[in-house]
Amino acid sequence: PGPQGEPGNVPEDIFASYATFMIQLINGEQIPFGTMTADPTGNIVLNDSRRIALMPGYYQINYHVSAILRTAGYMQVTPSYNGAPHLEYGIYFRTSVDNASANGSASLILEIPVPTEFTLTYNSNSVSVEGAGTITVVKLRREFG
């Protein structure tokens, strides 16, 4: 082993978490969330119940959504950020019976070059009740360039 350098200052982690439960999820609408753990730095802020504002940087985002579909059908959840929907990070779940649970999770790392808003849009051809969801957002320490 070689000589060790001076210990550096490691910045504190920047993170936030959001959740929702026991709601009816509406076809074509963004899913509402409430703040569970707030980010005091202002890098990750729930602007209203449906839009999470992200300042420039790299982020790891994990989300989970579940619901009971009253009739056989599908559940689709699509994240949007940087001004566009991103189906490649979406969730799709199909049921073949009535009153079935549908759920899914996704994990992604995003490059956010300019301030943006992150949302999750719900789509289904069935009435979806007892909806629940979580989102965790961690700003990574990696610098642009």
Side-chain angles (χ1 to χ4, degrees):
Q4 292 189 357
E6 292 293 317
N9 287 339
V10 177
E12 287 195 7
D13 290 326
I14 297 172
F15 55 87
S17 65
Y18 307 95
T20 190
F21 61 97
M22 298 301 294
I23 65 169
Q24 182 173 354
L25 297 172
I26 307 298
N27 182 47
E29 291 191 8
Q30 294 170 346
I31 301 171
F33 288 89
T35 301
M36 304 308 290
T37 304
D39 165 26
T41 71
N43 282 272
I44 308 163
V45 177
L46 188 62
N47 278 344
D48 58 31
S49 65
R50 300 169 193 270
R51 299 175 300 134
I52 300 171
L54 302 173
M55 296 307 292
Y58 291 93
Y59 292 85
Q60 180 176 4
I61 299 179
N62 300 296
Y63 72 89
H64 177 84
V65 176
S66 64
I68 295 175
L69 305 185
R70 287 292 184 214
T71 57
Y74 71 89
M75 172 185 91
Q76 180 175 338
V77 178
T78 305
S80 294
Y81 57 90
N82 289 339
H86 290 270
L87 292 173
E88 69 274 21
Y89 293 122
I91 295 170
Y92 186 83
F93 194 104
R94 183 162 182 76
T95 66
S96 60
V97 297
D98 295 347
N99 294 312
S101 293
N103 65 79
S105 298
S107 181
L108 47 148
I109 292 179
L110 305 181
E111 179 180 349
I112 305 299
V114 297
T116 192
E117 291 180 334
F118 180 88
T119 62
L120 295 177
T121 301
Y122 184 82
N123 291 100
S124 181
N125 63 343
S126 176
V127 172
S128 304
V129 297
E130 297 186 37
T134 59
I135 302 175
T136 58
V137 182
V138 177
K139 186 171 186 183
L140 303 174
R141 295 185 186 131
R142 180 178 182 181
E143 297 292 327
F144 284 118

